[in-house]
Amino acid sequence: MVGQDIEQLIQSLSKLPGLGPRSARRAVLAMLEKPEQLLHPLIRNLIETEKSVVKCKSCGNLDSVDPCRLCSDERRDGAKLCVVEDVASLWALERANVFSGRYHVLGGVLSPLDGVGPEDLNIGALVARLSDNKMEELILALGATVEGQTTSYYVVDRLSDVDIKITKLAHGVPIGGELDYLDDGTLGAALTARRPVT
Ligand SMILES: [Zn+2]
């Protein structure tokens, strides 16, 4: 129905999260019909982003500077560290505008079935970060999935020798819930009402 180039573009886009083949086809058609408004800016943005984006060596966030803007912002509370599964969770918490401390991105959660073990996650760096810095509270903001909870227990266990208050998100995160899918109000309430890990 369409040329190979267009078909390949549709296929590339349809691999993105949230975009199935149908949405990808509509997006491509819109770009081809309005190249100046849609296609050209997108090409420029993609090239610029690919050149500039780096992973923050301190927290694991994605930004165009390293350390990222969150790590280098002196106004943020350096005594609180929030552990999240991925950058999507970090961005969700920032969108909710309820946390002003630092973050640590694990890069996943423990999942034996998928072959994800502790060595695949950014846990060693977390332990090192806690021993280097004066942190007072560690907030485990992992999803209420089995993997998220297993990971929380594992982190608590690994930090048993570290003198730090450990809390986790309160109810409000639905069972099986991933942070990125929560509305900002729910996420904010869960963080505000966080409780100690026992
Ligand atoms: Zn950072």
Side-chain angles (χ1 to χ4, degrees), residues 106-137:
L106 286 182
V109 280
L110 295 176
S111 178
L113 286 178
D114 299 319
V116 182
E119 66 285 352
D120 299 310
L121 304 181
N122 209 7
I123 293 177
L126 172 65
V127 178
R129 236 180 132 180
L130 290 176
S131 50
D132 285 353
N133 293 284
K134 264 226 141 335
M135 297 277 181
E136 288 164 15
E137 183 182 359

Side-chain angles (χ1 to χ4, degrees), residues 83-162:
V83 176
V84 290
E85 172 180 344
D86 50 22
V87 175
S89 301
L90 188 164
W91 288 2
L93 279 159
E94 277 302 291
R95 273 202 311 274
N97 203 16
V98 285
F99 181 68
S100 61
R102 310 272 181 208
Y103 290 98
H104 190 87
V105 179
L106 286 182
V109 280
L110 295 176
S111 178
L113 286 178
D114 299 319
V116 182
E119 66 285 352
D120 299 310
L121 304 181
N122 209 7
I123 293 177
L126 172 65
V127 178
R129 236 180 132 180
L130 290 176
S131 50
D132 285 353
N133 293 284
K134 264 226 141 335
M135 297 277 181
E136 288 164 15
E137 183 182 359
L138 183 89
I139 301 153
L140 292 165
L142 300 171
T145 57
V146 173
E147 292 83 6
Q149 297 308 298
T150 307
T151 309
S152 287
Y153 291 128
Y154 180 82
V155 171
V156 171
D157 197 49
R158 276 287 294 272
L159 298 177
S160 55
D161 294 339
V162 181

Side-chain angles (χ1 to χ4, degrees), residues 56 59 68 71:
C56 173
C59 74
C68 73
C71 282

Side-chain angles (χ1 to χ4, degrees), residues 56-61 66-72 103 129:
C56 173
K57 285 191 193 68
S58 178
C59 74
N61 187 21
D66 178 23
C68 73
R69 269 161 256 256
L70 298 177
C71 282
S72 53
Y103 290 98
R129 236 180 132 180

